[in-house]
Amino acid sequence: MNALTLEPQPGSNDPASSARAALTLAALGVVYGDIGTSPLYAFKECLSPAHGVVLNAASVLGLLSLVFWALMLVVTLKYVVFVLRADHDGEGGILALQALAKHAVGGQAGHPAVLAALGALGLTGAAMFYGDSLITPAVSVLSAVEGLNVVTPVFDKYVVPLTVAILIGLFAVQRHGTGLVGKVFGPVMLLWFGVLAWLGLQQIARSPEVLQAINPVWAVGFLTDHPGQSLAVLGSVFLAVTGGEALYADMGHFGASAIRRAWFFVALPALVLNYFGQGALVLHDATAIDNPFFHMVPTWGVMPMVVLASAATVIASQAVISGAFSLTAQAMRMGYLPRLRVVQTSGDAMGQVYLPVVNWLLMGGVLALVVGFGTSTALSAAYGIAVSLTMVTTTLLATVVALRLWRWNPVAVAIGGGALLAVDLVFVVGNSLKVAEGGWVPLAIAALVLVLFTTWARGRSISRRAAQADRIDLAPFVESLGAQPPHRVRGTAVFLTSEPDSVPHALLHNLKHNQVLHERVLVLQVEAIDTPRAEAADKLRVRGLGHGFWQVTARHGFMERPDVPEFMKLLAYQKGIDTSVMSTSYFTSRENVGTGRLPGLGWARQVLFAWLHRNAGRASDYFGLPSNRVVEMGRRAT
């Protein structure tokens, strides 16, 4: 149990060691909440009589061996050892991996078909994450509350209402941010993993023969002895590794080292001990298969365990909810979604954001799943397919990075990547058997998200091309002002535009209706780049056009908030242009989009694009503009 306490070694009380321990503890709380609560339901589903597997010592050891080697191959080898190497300026996640893979094949200069394929893989993985974000809170909290049934069946009718109440409370507090709650995540999860290990050891001591399952021969033997049931069983075995994808997604918050330490010294040992403990319990008490996790708990400890399990599942749910917020913000900055209201909940951590629309949509979906499915067993049928497809996309993108960017031996990459992909595809096939029983839910959610992603990106591209017909080149326009200068007023005007070489429509409207120009005019393009963060020296590109005009491009990474006032402060510091708050006005255009002039989009997608456009957030909110210094001009785009 010493490995589970994370106590510093004698003589290691230096600040660096303390910082590493604190970071590891924080990573334990956030990263491993999802996979850490899998013992609540994973092994129970592996033992389900619906699989048609005769319960005997050989089948129990075979199932345990499958779970053990799934943890070793999918989580340990693939994610912890291999994928965590693929950091994009310290960031992880499927969209960061997509950007890294595109860079590996030459970036924008790469072959268009290859870039399109990599883009599709990244978007597919991102879309699948939203299905996971709905199902994880539902199945995790529901399985924890179902522990009350072990005390007495009387509690059965209260399971769903209590689960709904916990989930409503969880989503209701999201607007306050995760900073305060996050301080207790680590200690709670450390206690959780400690209890997992202790419960498992108690049972292993009674039936130590269960340790034979470490031998992969038992896994192979189970698969060969049960060819008809193997795929269905593998769909349940996969539940033990769901949450493993969070290791990579959260790398930017904690770093690969902290995530690896938390896995090898705490999470992995505790999970293995608990699963083996559940197997040991079933070996000497076959009646425990209905809920082996809670049957390991002494009678006096069931109620406290339900409370602890509920806390752990709330933490697991918080991790995927926060991940959905972050992923949505990234997708907006990369041009796959319209602007939504983003609330920064921390002044220190850029990644801590809250999106009200996403929060309430998630809550509605999660509650519908809990009420509609009713039990964690029914919900587990919907769980897995989205995660397994996400893992396939991760393997393919990481293989491209290893081959083209790291320049690893092609033979080794082909063998290793092929083996990992084969494991992923086996689990995809196993989970696909559950599509009719509920697995269609995350697939439908992912399909909807993909339609939104592609419709918005395609519609914006077509809309921009259509606007080119009405464009006026900026440089000649500025030169023409010298011949017939308009009246100039004091101050600085910042015109936001997506076409820096064209005259912004807001500038034309202002000149037409007000017949004045400010003495300093900045034509500002805010550009998202495919790296997590823009280098300080590369954030601003400034070109003087004369006559008091400057063309400015402000660049930000997909993990950064596009804060225009901060860009203006940097501009004043670098170029000496007066952009003080009280002397600067911001001009934006509010486009009105029709539904009949978007060639390349079908009628239904044109209607969807127009709806998305109408409901997009205002540029002033997205770019953090001071509300009392903004002038918004309307225009019809199509």
Side-chain angles (χ1 to χ4, degrees):
M1 293 293 289
N2 290 337
L4 298 176
T5 62
L6 288 181
E7 293 178 357
Q9 298 298 315
S12 64
N13 293 324
D14 60 281
S17 297
S18 299
R20 284 194 297 270
L23 196 60
T24 302
L25 187 62
L28 186 70
V30 175
V31 177
Y32 295 107
D34 191 354
I35 196 170
T37 54
S38 296
L40 285 167
Y41 50 83
F43 196 63
K44 176 179 72 172
E45 298 308 319
C46 292
L47 297 168
S48 172
H51 295 318
V53 176
V54 178
L55 188 64
N56 53 37
S59 60
V60 170
L61 291 175
L63 289 170
L64 280 178
S65 188
L66 286 170
V67 169
F68 174 79
W69 285 104
L71 288 170
M72 298 305 296
L73 293 175
V74 176
V75 183
T76 305
L77 179 61
K78 175 181 168 179
Y79 278 99
V80 178
V81 175
F82 175 46
V83 177
L84 282 182
R85 295 173 178 266
D87 70 288
H88 194 356
D89 292 342
E91 296 293 339
I94 192 68
L95 290 181
L97 186 60
Q98 174 207 59
L100 199 62
K102 286 184 174 181
H103 176 69
V105 297
Q108 295 302 317
H111 193 283
V114 174
L115 293 176
L118 294 177
L121 283 174
L123 289 183
T124 300
M128 291 296 170
F129 182 84
Y130 286 96
D132 184 24
S133 299
L134 283 175
I135 296 178
T136 293
V139 71
S140 299
V141 177
L142 192 56
S143 61
V145 178
E146 283 174 346
L148 293 172
N149 291 331
V150 175
V151 179
T152 171
V154 173
F155 286 117
D156 184 59
K157 61 182 178 181
Y158 300 108
V159 168
V160 170
L162 185 55
T163 300
V164 168
I166 292 173
L167 289 169
I168 290 176
L170 172 63
F171 283 100
V173 301
Q174 292 301 312
R175 66 181 185 275
H176 300 297
T178 59
L180 180 63
V181 182
K183 293 180 180 179
V184 301
F185 279 10
V188 170
M189 290 309 297
L190 184 61
L191 174 62
W192 170 254
F193 281 115
V195 171
L196 289 186
W198 177 75
L199 290 174
L201 283 171
Q202 298 295 310
Q203 299 299 325
I204 293 171
R206 298 175 61 184
S207 301
E209 66 272 16
V210 77
L211 295 175
Q212 297 176 72
I214 293 176
N215 189 336
V217 170
W218 287 103
V220 174
F222 180 90
L223 297 176
T224 55
D225 292 342
H226 304 86
Q229 298 88 6
S230 291
L231 283 178
V233 169
L234 286 172
S236 297
V237 170
F238 187 75
L239 296 175
V241 299
T242 54
E245 70 281 3
L247 278 70
Y248 183 53
D250 290 321
M251 182 170 63
H253 296 286
F254 306 103
S257 296
I259 292 173
R260 288 190 178 108
R261 287 194 299 270
W263 175 251
F264 284 118
F265 293 109
V266 183
L268 177 61
L271 289 172
V272 170
L273 288 173
N274 192 266
Y275 282 124
F276 275 57
Q278 292 187 47
L281 172 64
V282 172
L283 284 178
H284 64 257
D285 182 6
T287 63
I289 63 169
D290 63 317
N291 201 328
F293 179 86
F294 279 101
H295 279 297
M296 288 196 298
V297 183
T299 304
W300 58 266
V302 172
M303 290 299 289
M305 193 64 197
V306 170
V307 174
L308 179 59
S310 299
T313 54
V314 165
I315 292 172
S317 303
Q318 179 65 65
V320 295
I321 294 169
S322 299
F325 293 160
S326 298
L327 183 63
T328 304
Q330 288 182 35
M332 284 192 298
R333 292 162 191 162
M334 297 176 77
Y336 295 123
L337 285 175
R339 292 188 295 263
L340 300 173
R341 182 174 173 236
V342 179
V343 179
Q344 193 73 29
T345 59
S346 171
D348 302 317
M350 181 62 67
Q352 291 187 19
V353 294
Y354 167 66
L355 284 81
V357 171
V358 176
N359 184 65
W360 301 124
L361 286 175
L362 284 177
M363 187 185 81
V366 170
L367 296 183
L369 288 175
V370 170
V371 174
F373 284 85
T375 67
S376 63
T377 296
L379 259 175
S380 67
Y383 204 18
I385 184 66
V387 180
S388 60
L389 287 171
T390 300
M391 290 185 173
V392 169
T393 61
T394 300
T395 299
L396 292 171
L397 291 171
T399 301
V400 171
V401 171
L403 186 63
R404 298 295 299 274
L405 188 64
W406 300 338
R407 304 292 181 182
W408 285 6
N409 185 291
V411 176
V413 171
I415 295 174
L420 293 176
L421 182 61
V423 173
D424 290 337
L425 290 175
V426 166
F427 281 125
V428 169
V429 174
N431 281 294
S432 67
L433 300 179
K434 302 187 291 184
V435 170
E437 302 171 21
W440 61 269
V441 173
L443 294 180
I445 295 166
L448 175 61
V449 172
L450 268 177
V451 169
L452 293 176
F453 280 170
T454 55
T455 299
W456 181 254
R458 179 67 175 160
R460 288 296 293 162
S461 176
I462 295 173
S463 181
R464 282 195 297 268
R465 285 203 303 270
Q468 292 294 314
D470 301 323
R471 75 188 298 270
I472 300 175
D473 289 336
L474 180 61
F477 172 81
V478 173
E479 285 300 320
S480 70
L481 295 177
Q484 294 181 323
H487 180 67
R488 308 293 286 255
V489 296
R490 289 183 297 176
T492 301
V494 179
F495 292 89
L496 278 78
T497 180
S498 60
E499 299 289 340
D501 294 323
S502 303
V503 181
H505 287 274
L507 192 157
L508 288 174
H509 280 282
N510 182 58
L511 190 58
K512 175 182 178 181
H513 295 290
N514 298 324
Q515 299 180 5
V516 297
L517 281 178
H518 288 70
E519 60 183 336
R520 292 175 298 276
V521 177
L522 306 179
V523 178
L524 174 65
Q525 177 197 28
V526 180
E527 179 185 18
I529 58 178
D530 63 354
T531 59
R533 294 176 179 83
E535 296 290 339
D538 201 32
K539 281 185 178 291
L540 291 179
R541 294 178 178 177
V542 184
R543 176 189 172 202
L545 301 175
H547 304 287
F549 274 73
W550 285 269
Q551 189 181 57
V552 182
T553 299
R555 310 173 83 227
H556 66 92
F558 58 76
M559 291 297 293
E560 296 178 298
R561 185 163 56 95
D563 191 329
V564 168
E566 286 299 317
F567 287 136
M568 292 299 100
K569 293 178 183 178
L570 182 60
L571 181 64
Y573 174 75
Q574 290 184 353
K575 301 297 182 180
I577 301 173
D578 183 7
T579 59
S580 57
V581 174
M582 298 310 296
S583 67
T584 303
S585 298
Y586 298 91
F587 292 79
T588 66
S589 295
R590 181 72 175 183
E591 296 179 343
N592 297 313
V593 178
T595 60
R597 296 175 56 193
L598 290 174
L601 279 184
W603 176 84
R605 295 182 74 189
Q606 289 184 35
V607 173
L608 175 60
F609 176 72
W611 180 82
L612 290 172
H613 207 290
R614 286 195 301 271
N615 289 277
R618 296 185 178 276
S620 55
D621 296 331
Y622 182 72
F623 293 115
L625 306 181
S627 57
N628 61 340
R629 306 296 301 178
V630 177
V631 179
E632 187 176 84
M633 304 284 192
R635 63 176 288 262
R636 186 168 183 82
T638 62

